[in-house]
Amino acid sequence: MENKEFNIKSSTVEKGLELAKEFLGKLISPTIEEVGLLMSDNIKFLRFKNQVRILLKAKEYVESKNLTLTEIPIKILVPLLEKASLENNESLQDKWAKMLVNMVDSEKNLQNQIFPYLLSQISIEEYNEVKELIIKENNLAKRKLELIDLKIKLDDKHSFKKETQDFKAELDKIERNGFWLSLEGFEHENLLRLGLIKRLPPKIYIEEFKTGGNSDYESSEQWHQIEAEYDFDDFGYRISDLGLKFIETCEIEEKKASH
């Protein structure tokens, strides 16, 4: 059988690179001249610049808080820096820097390889919504404490008084319904996939029915078939334990001003 060889002319290759260059220029900002040609070392340099920017941010946080540092295992540090190098969003770069700081803080125990993966999988909009969900959860916890104080104030341990009942009913409704997220459906699913939030089960609506006769003491009872209906579009969300720990890893508590 005759051997067939592919004779690729240099002009053909150059034309292909030009087309690739033109197409890549439409996909990446800054311009292609700043990023470099496809498959060139300039792409690596862009990632390196992101890493340097994040490391310098982390250095500033460490110095400002005067932290005692501990080493990070290679299996955590390398994936963290690799994934962080792909991040161009300045706000998320700040989260990468804070994650690194929290992992080297000897007073915390936040070293886990799941956290870099999670941060690499979400947008800044998704991150902010998870953080906002935690704020709502904290407000709910504060209101539960307020209910306890109200019971003590009114001497209403078993919630017999209307004021206490109304307050408790309001909190119970939040517990049942959860909180809404201002995100697109696919973003909800992404956060659920990552385990950062929990979706509450759909509500069950039961048709009204009654048993018994006209009198409270009448022995005969009327039985009616119960028709239940699920509303799969009517549900809310709650934060998960993983979501709480993830946000904790990406945030640094600001110093409170002394009075």
Side-chain angles (χ1 to χ4, degrees):
M1 181 180 293
E2 181 182 356
N3 292 329
K4 295 183 178 179
E5 296 181 358
F6 291 99
N7 182 18
I8 303 177
K9 298 181 180 180
S10 60
S11 60
T12 304
V13 176
E14 291 174 1
K15 182 62 176 177
L17 287 176
E18 284 299 319
L19 292 175
K21 176 181 176 180
E22 180 183 351
F23 178 66
L24 188 60
K26 299 177 181 179
L27 302 181
I28 301 177
S29 179
T31 62
I32 195 65
E33 285 74 22
E34 293 172 297
V35 176
L37 290 175
L38 188 63
M39 298 178 293
S40 76
D41 289 337
N42 288 341
I43 293 291
K44 294 180 181 178
F45 181 65
L46 179 65
R47 296 181 64 181
F48 175 70
K49 286 199 298 183
N50 287 338
Q51 287 177 334
V52 170
R53 189 178 295 114
I54 290 167
L55 286 169
L56 290 178
K57 282 177 178 283
K59 181 175 180 290
E60 290 178 6
Y61 284 125
V62 167
E63 292 176 347
S64 66
K65 298 181 75 67
N66 195 26
L67 300 178
T68 301
L69 305 184
T70 186
E71 290 186 358
I72 302 179
I74 290 294
K75 70 176 183 179
I76 297 178
L77 180 60
V78 171
L80 188 155
L81 293 177
E82 281 292 312
K83 289 177 171 59
S85 70
L86 296 171
E87 186 56 67
N88 286 323
N89 183 281
E90 188 173 346
S91 296
L92 284 177
Q93 285 183 350
D94 187 62
K95 305 308 176 190
W96 282 106
K98 289 178 178 178
M99 176 181 289
L100 181 57
V101 171
N102 284 322
M103 285 189 173
V104 300
D105 189 345
S106 60
E107 295 184 1
K108 297 184 178 181
N109 184 26
L110 295 174
Q111 291 189 0
N112 192 295
Q113 53 265 45
I114 189 64
F115 298 128
Y117 170 75
L118 293 174
L119 188 54
S120 72
Q121 295 292 300
I122 65 175
S123 66
I124 188 61
E125 290 79 15
E126 290 167 337
Y127 181 94
N128 289 337
E129 280 299 307
V130 175
K131 188 176 178 181
E132 181 65 25
L133 182 57
I134 292 177
I135 294 174
K136 293 176 181 177
E137 295 277 10
N138 290 339
N139 289 337
L140 176 60
K142 290 178 183 177
R143 301 209 61 195
K144 288 180 179 178
L145 294 177
E146 292 173 2
L147 176 61
I148 294 174
D149 291 339
L150 180 63
K151 288 182 178 181
I152 295 173
K153 178 181 177 181
L154 300 178
D155 191 20
D156 189 20
K157 181 179 180 180
H158 300 291
S159 301
F160 290 138
K161 296 183 179 179
K162 186 177 186 306
E163 185 177 354
T164 310
Q165 290 177 348
D166 291 345
F167 199 159
K168 185 176 183 302
E170 181 182 346
L171 298 184
D172 288 344
K173 183 178 180 181
I174 296 175
E175 290 276 11
R176 290 193 308 270
N177 296 343
F179 302 100
W180 183 248
L181 301 178
S182 300
L183 294 170
E184 298 291 338
F186 69 90
E187 293 171 311
H188 292 176
E189 296 302 325
N190 187 41
L191 295 178
L192 286 167
R193 172 184 71 90
L194 297 172
L196 297 175
I197 60 174
K198 298 180 291 187
R199 176 184 287 161
L200 297 183
K203 296 183 181 66
I204 302 176
Y205 295 93
I206 300 177
E207 292 294 330
E208 184 177 357
F209 70 98
K210 72 172 183 176
T211 62
N214 296 326
S215 171
D216 292 339
Y217 301 100
E218 190 170 332
S219 59
S220 61
E221 291 188 342
Q222 301 172 3
W223 292 88
H224 300 268
Q225 182 179 0
I226 299 176
E227 295 183 2
E229 178 180 310
Y230 288 90
D231 187 350
F232 289 98
D233 294 323
D234 189 8
F235 49 74
Y237 298 92
R238 301 293 299 272
I239 194 69
S240 67
D241 291 339
L242 179 60
L244 283 169
K245 188 61 68 174
F246 169 66
I247 295 298
E248 179 186 351
T249 308
C250 298
E251 295 291 332
I252 294 178
E253 186 176 357
E254 300 294 336
K255 291 183 178 180
K256 296 182 180 179
S258 57
H259 297 284

